[in-house]
Amino acid sequence: MCEYCKEDFDGYYKTLDKNGHVCIFDMAYEQILDINWYGHKMKINISYCPMCGRKLGRDNK
């Protein structure tokens, strides 16, 4: 696991950019890539870590 798709003790993931605009969230059996950039907001369902390619999900922890 890379540092971006590994949860910390509180269940949070490290942000993918230094300003915290792109994050991975775990929402009950689906992972969401949350993007908030200069007022534009987007949520994308993802199955793999965008940094290392590891399959995300409860089965793979």
Side-chain angles (χ1 to χ4, degrees):
M1 277 190 260
C2 75
E3 62 183 317
Y4 298 99
C5 63
K6 179 181 168 192
E7 291 180 40
D8 66 11
F9 290 112
D10 296 324
Y12 292 99
Y13 293 96
K14 182 175 180 175
T15 58
L16 299 175
D17 72 330
K18 70 178 186 173
N19 297 317
H21 296 119
V22 182
C23 305
I24 298 173
F25 287 102
D26 189 2
M27 299 282 225
Y29 298 104
E30 67 179 351
Q31 285 63 41
I32 295 173
L33 186 66
D34 184 46
I35 303 167
N36 185 1
W37 199 260
Y38 297 110
H40 300 285
K41 295 181 180 182
M42 182 183 297
K43 293 185 187 300
I44 302 168
N45 290 341
I46 59 173
S47 297
Y48 299 90
C49 174
M51 299 303 276
C52 72
R54 181 180 76 90
K55 183 162 177 59
L56 300 173
R58 302 239 181 242
D59 319 356
N60 299 310
K61 290 191 177 185

